[in-house]
């Protein structure tokens, strides 16, 4: 197992092919996927052929609870296409059983610190739908501040899309001042 980082309660490790069932279950929970695809199911074939290989190859980390070894979900820290490498995007998706327990904040804070301490980041950012209050709260707890609201055009808009997307950010200077 390749451990990327550890926190008090979490191990963030690289994904492996044996994680297909974990991802399938997570990405097929309608409540988990509400603000991502409206809760529509993702076929197992898509998870195995597209999602998992992408996760194995780039900046996605399986989140495992230390005491139990349970798969809780995932985090990512990587610069999206057409964004400088020193501006990684933070993301997370956790099982409902992990909601409200501080895992999203704990894992996010550890990744933010790693980005600035070890990876040379000058800015870390995260995005979500404006109506995704839970995710926005995690970003705020991690010290990210609202940078902008924007309105992308979607082929099949989800309920709440009319309120836009939000981007939160933390710059190196802001992180150093904490």
């Amino acid at each position: 197992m390749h451990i990327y980082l550890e926190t008090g309660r979490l191990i963030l490790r690289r994904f492996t092919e044996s994680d297909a069932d974990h991802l399938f279950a997570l990405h097929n929970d309608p409540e988990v996927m509400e603000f991502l695809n409206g809760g529509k199911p993702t076929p197992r074939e898509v998870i195995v052929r597209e999602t998992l290989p992408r996760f194995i190859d780039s900046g996605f980390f399986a989140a495992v609870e230390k005491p139990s070894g349970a798969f809780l979900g995932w985090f990512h820290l990587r610069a999206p296409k057409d964004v400088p490498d020193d501006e990684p995007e933070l993301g997370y998706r956790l099982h409902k059983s992990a909601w409200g327990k501080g895992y999203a904040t704990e894992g996010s804070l550890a990744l933010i610190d790693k980005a600035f301490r070890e990876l040379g980041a000058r800015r870390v950012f995260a995005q979500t739908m404006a109506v995704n209050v839970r995710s926005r709260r995690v970003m705020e707890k991690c010290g990210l501040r609202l940078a902008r609201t924007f309105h992308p055009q979607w082929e099949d808009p989800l309920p709440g899309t009319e309120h836009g997307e939000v981007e939160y950010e933390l710059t190196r200077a802001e992180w150093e001042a904490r």
Side-chain angles (χ1 to χ4, degrees):
M1 168 171 52
H2 182 268
I3 295 174
Y4 186 69
L5 66 79
E6 291 187 50
T7 70
R9 301 180 298 159
L10 297 172
I11 293 172
L12 300 187
R13 63 164 174 79
R14 299 278 183 198
F15 273 92
T16 67
E17 290 183 9
S18 65
D19 288 312
D21 289 338
H22 296 307
L23 281 179
F24 181 73
L26 180 66
H27 289 210
N28 279 281
D29 181 322
E31 288 182 72
V32 169
M33 300 302 289
E34 175 184 5
F35 298 110
L36 299 156
N37 71 1
K40 296 175 187 160
T42 303
R44 183 173 178 73
E45 181 177 303
V46 170
I47 297 291
V48 171
R49 291 196 180 151
E50 297 173 25
T51 307
L52 186 55
R54 185 170 40 101
F55 280 26
I56 289 170
D57 290 341
S58 65
F60 284 81
F61 308 100
V64 177
E65 185 182 50
K66 274 185 177 178
S68 69
F71 176 85
L72 299 178
W74 57 258
F75 289 83
H76 75 63
L77 183 68
R78 61 173 180 38
K81 185 179 178 186
D82 300 325
V83 173
D85 286 343
D86 63 352
E87 294 188 20
E89 179 181 24
L90 172 70
Y92 38 83
R93 188 169 305 164
L94 299 175
H95 279 292
K96 285 183 306 197
S97 63
W99 293 1
K101 297 180 180 177
Y103 290 121
T105 301
E106 184 175 330
S108 295
L109 282 169
L111 286 170
I112 290 166
D113 283 347
K114 186 172 186 81
F116 289 118
R117 285 187 204 285
E118 299 175 28
L119 305 178
R122 76 182 171 86
R123 176 179 94 111
V124 173
F125 74 97
Q127 297 179 342
T128 191
M129 289 181 71
V131 295
N132 188 348
V133 176
R134 280 188 233 107
S135 192
R136 291 180 71 167
R137 184 68 187 121
V138 169
M139 294 172 196
E140 292 164 358
K141 285 180 181 178
C142 292
L144 280 74
R145 63 176 169 72
L146 180 63
R148 68 183 178 123
T149 301
F150 58 104
H151 296 271
Q153 296 300 310
W154 300 104
E155 195 172 298
D156 187 16
L158 300 176
T161 300
E162 66 275 12
H163 300 286
E165 301 276 322
V166 290
E167 180 174 293
Y168 281 73
E169 70 178 3
L170 181 66
T171 65
R172 173 174 287 284
E174 292 164 337
W175 176 78
E176 288 174 344
R178 297 194 312 176

